[in-house]
């Protein structure tokens, strides 16, 4: 199977791709990276920030749902999202040992934006999501700082790179160089066009299992003793009005995407999906009742299918845009384009 020479790898799709074929095709969504790379110091890590909507996220939250597909992970903030069904701050993706610093930076950022937090109202729930990049990166060095996290948030935009960048700098997927990937789909509903997009941090799977568009891609060498480990973080965003229950159901469909590319979500892989809709904003200071518009249950299958398509392509795109690298302990990982 040959790889395309254009900027995005082609996956057969039922729904039309967005203009950029990125999660930022969803109006209001922005993504920012900070990449830390130093071969001399064995540093291959970084930060990726996802801003789910414009405006003050604490005062006008977005509806959200979480699906923990396999819970071998150390992400923070998921419990409250699952309980209350909202996201009220940017999401930060990084390596496992940088979750604490990501949380500190997020909290300080939100305190700057909202003088009432922790004073006249409650605290803030921030999401710091992680994968282990320790096979390529000096993870014990804890090189990500609060300033790096803040820079990723402050520089978030509609245009961003894919592959071994940001949080994806040190990630490995099916023994190929993994990283950040994204894709989007559009659909007309009720006379208006809506968009759903996905962003993936790929760091999962075993060599020899990769499938692209249903075709198995053979590996040069397969270590049968090596298990499925490393994790993946999947972010699904849309402007389709949905409630938290529908978004949790949408997030759970990411499992179908993982299966399509050859993952079986092994015991050592933390596979977590978060879905949000900025088509519904929930006011922090509201009246006794809040009116929410939601997609009909008779139509929601379209959202599920768009999500599966987008996540599948985002995973393959993360591989397609990555580069071969030699990391700590002389670990060499080839990229998809160099191998096939």
């Amino acid at each position: 199977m040959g790889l395309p020479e254009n900027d995005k790898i082609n996956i057969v799709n039922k729904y039309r791709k967005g203009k950029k074929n990125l999660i930022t095709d969803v109006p209001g969504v922005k993504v920012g990276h900070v990449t830390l790379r130093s071969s001399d110091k064995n540093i291959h890590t970084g930060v990726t920030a996802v801003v789910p909507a414009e405006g003050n996220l604490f005062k006008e939250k977005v509806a959200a749902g979480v699906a923990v597909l396999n819970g071998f992970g150390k992400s923070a903030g998921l419990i409250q999202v699952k309980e209350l069904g909202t996201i009220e701050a940017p999401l930060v993706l990084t390596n496992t040992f940088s979750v604490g610093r990501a949380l500190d930076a997020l909290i300080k950022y939100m305190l700057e934006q909202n003088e009432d937090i922790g004073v006249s109202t409650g605290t803030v729930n921030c999401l710091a999501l992680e994968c282990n990049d320790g096979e390529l990166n000096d993870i014990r060095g804890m090189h990500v700082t609060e300033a790096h996290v803040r820079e990723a948030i402050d520089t978030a935009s509609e245009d961003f790179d894919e592959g071994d960048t940001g949080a994806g700098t040190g990630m490995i997927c099916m023994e190929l160089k993994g990283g950040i990937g994204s894709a989007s789909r559009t659909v007309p509903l009720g006379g208006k066009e809506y968009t759903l997009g996905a962003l993936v941090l790929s760091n999962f799977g075993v060599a020899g299992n990769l499938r692209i568009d249903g075709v198995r891609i053979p590996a040069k060498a397969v270590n049968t003793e090596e298990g499925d480990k490393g994790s993946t973080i999947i972010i699904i965003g849309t402007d389709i009005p949905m409630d938290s229950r529908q978004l949790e159901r949408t997030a759970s469909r990411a499992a179908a995407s993982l299966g399509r590319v050859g993952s079986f979500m092994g015991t050592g892989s933390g596979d977590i999906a978060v879905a949000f809709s900025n088509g519904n904003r929930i006011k922090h200071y509201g009246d006794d009742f809040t009116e929410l518009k939601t997609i009909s249950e008779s139509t929601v299958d379209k959202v599920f299918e768009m999500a599966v398509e987008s996540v599948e392509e985002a995973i393959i795109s993360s591989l397609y845009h990555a580069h071969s690298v030699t990391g700590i302990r002389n670990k060499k990982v080839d990229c998809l384009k160099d191998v096939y």
Side-chain angles (χ1 to χ4, degrees):
M1 175 180 178
L3 294 175
E5 296 179 356
N6 59 348
D7 185 52
K8 296 285 282 189
I9 196 162
N10 291 316
I11 300 294
V12 174
N13 53 291
K14 176 177 177 179
Y15 292 90
R16 189 166 64 87
K17 299 180 182 184
K19 183 178 180 181
K20 299 177 186 291
N21 201 15
L22 298 170
I23 192 173
T24 49
D25 287 325
V26 178
V29 176
K30 295 180 180 180
V31 173
H33 296 307
V34 169
T35 300
L36 306 178
R37 184 181 288 115
S38 172
S39 297
D40 293 343
K41 297 180 180 179
N42 293 313
I43 299 172
H44 301 274
T45 194
V47 179
T48 296
V50 179
V51 181
E54 296 178 345
N56 190 309
L57 284 165
F58 184 74
K59 289 185 170 61
E60 288 189 303
K61 312 173 197 304
V62 297
V66 170
V68 178
L69 308 175
N70 191 63
F72 194 95
K74 288 81 179 172
S75 295
L78 299 174
I79 293 175
Q80 182 169 313
V81 177
K82 195 169 182 65
E83 180 70 21
L84 299 185
T86 59
I87 289 174
E88 56 190 14
L91 301 87
V92 168
L93 286 62
T94 188
N95 73 62
T96 308
F97 287 173
S98 298
V99 167
R101 287 180 179 170
L103 279 175
D104 285 343
L106 276 166
I107 291 169
K108 291 175 183 178
Y109 172 80
M110 294 304 295
L111 292 179
E112 288 179 16
Q113 310 298 315
N114 301 274
E115 295 181 353
D116 50 342
I117 291 177
V119 179
S120 58
T121 191
T123 56
V124 62
N125 184 56
C126 298
L127 272 70
L129 307 160
E130 56 78 33
C131 290
N132 181 0
D133 59 14
E135 287 197 42
L136 289 174
N137 173 52
D138 172 29
I139 194 169
R140 291 173 63 93
M142 301 178 69
H143 301 286
V144 173
T145 67
E146 291 182 32
H148 294 137
V149 178
R150 181 59 182 264
E151 182 182 348
I153 298 171
D154 289 342
T155 59
S157 69
E158 294 179 3
D159 296 304
F160 63 94
D161 292 332
E162 298 177 81
D164 49 331
T165 187
T169 305
M171 301 302 171
I172 301 171
C173 185
M174 299 192 182
E175 284 304 309
L176 294 168
K177 188 65 192 73
I180 295 290
S182 192
S184 68
R185 299 290 186 268
T186 66
V187 65
L189 295 171
K192 179 181 176 182
E193 185 172 84
Y194 290 92
T195 304
L196 179 145
L199 181 141
V200 169
L201 179 61
S202 65
N203 193 54
F204 65 89
V206 296
N209 276 16
L210 176 63
R211 290 169 173 81
I212 298 179
D213 217 13
V215 178
R216 188 163 189 155
I217 307 299
K220 285 186 175 181
V222 178
N223 181 357
T224 56
E225 302 299 320
E226 192 72 18
D228 185 351
K229 60 183 181 180
S231 305
T232 182
I233 301 297
I234 298 165
I235 309 297
I236 299 168
T238 186
D239 60 345
I240 300 171
M242 302 177 72
D243 61 25
S244 59
R245 178 186 60 82
Q246 293 172 327
L247 288 162
E248 182 173 334
R249 298 182 71 207
T250 301
S252 70
R253 267 60 186 182
S257 308
L258 288 169
R260 283 187 178 189
V261 300
S263 171
F264 56 85
M265 294 183 291
T267 185
S269 184
D271 305 303
I272 294 169
V274 178
F276 67 81
S277 166
N278 60 23
N280 272 326
R281 303 295 293 269
I282 296 92
K283 293 183 178 180
H284 183 75
Y285 297 106
D287 299 324
D288 290 337
F289 297 96
T290 298
E291 291 186 6
L292 298 178
K293 184 178 181 180
T294 62
I295 191 170
S296 167
E297 294 298 317
S298 62
T299 307
V300 76
D301 271 351
K302 294 182 179 180
V303 178
F304 295 163
E305 193 168 14
M306 291 167 67
V308 172
E309 278 192 12
S310 297
V311 173
E312 178 189 12
E313 184 171 343
I315 294 168
I316 303 304
S317 190
S318 74
L319 298 169
Y320 178 71
H321 286 90
H323 301 86
S324 297
V325 65
T326 299
I328 195 168
R329 295 176 289 275
N330 292 316
K331 171 83 172 183
K332 187 178 188 301
V333 181
D334 293 323
C335 71
L336 181 64
K337 287 191 285 189
D338 282 355
V339 173
Y340 303 107

